């Protein structure tokens, strides 16, 4: 509605991070011939393997998404 398309990356930081984590994992795996950057990609599986519960991961991603949406809207109103 505001035609500020660059703010979509700010507002969708969780979705962009999920996609970027997969790209980084695949690229790093191919570049190093077998080493991994994360325990598992996408990044939410990495956090689960670190011991976070699925509920914790979901709640933190919701919180990050809500903050990112507020920041994006605030930047659009400037």
């Amino acid at each position: 509605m505001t035609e500020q398309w660059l703010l979509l990356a700010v507002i969708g930081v969780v979705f962009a991070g999920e996609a970027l984590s997969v790209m980084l994992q695949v690229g790093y795996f191919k570049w190093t011939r077998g080493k991994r950057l994360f325990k598992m990609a996408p990044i939410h599986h990495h956090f689960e393997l670190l011991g976070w519960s699925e509920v914790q991961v979901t709640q933190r991603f919701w919180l990050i998404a809500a903050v990112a949406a507020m920041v994006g809207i605030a930047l659009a109103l400037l």
Side-chain angles (χ1 to χ4, degrees), residues 14-15 17-22 38-62:
V14 172
F15 304 111
E18 288 280 316
L20 186 62
S21 71
V22 173
F38 306 112
K39 291 182 182 278
M40 188 183 287
I43 195 73
H44 66 271
H45 291 307
H46 172 79
F47 292 128
E48 288 173 3
L49 289 177
L50 287 178
W52 293 16
S53 70
E54 191 173 334
V55 174
Q56 274 183 311
V57 173
T58 303
Q59 287 176 343
R60 293 195 180 151
F61 277 31
W62 278 353

Side-chain angles (χ1 to χ4, degrees):
M1 292 177 9
T2 63
E3 295 187 16
Q4 296 180 1
W5 304 111
L6 294 176
L7 290 177
L8 286 176
V10 174
I11 294 170
V13 72
V14 172
F15 304 111
E18 288 280 316
L20 186 62
S21 71
V22 173
M23 290 185 264
L24 286 172
Q25 180 83 324
V26 170
Y28 189 78
F29 188 83
K30 287 181 179 180
W31 189 51
T32 60
R33 296 190 176 109
K35 293 184 182 176
R36 297 183 186 275
L37 192 58
F38 306 112
K39 291 182 182 278
M40 188 183 287
I43 195 73
H44 66 271
H45 291 307
H46 172 79
F47 292 128
E48 288 173 3
L49 289 177
L50 287 178
W52 293 16
S53 70
E54 191 173 334
V55 174
Q56 274 183 311
V57 173
T58 303
Q59 287 176 343
R60 293 195 180 151
F61 277 31
W62 278 353
L63 181 64
I64 292 168
V67 169
M70 287 188 273
V71 168
I73 291 169
L75 289 172
L77 294 175
L78 290 178

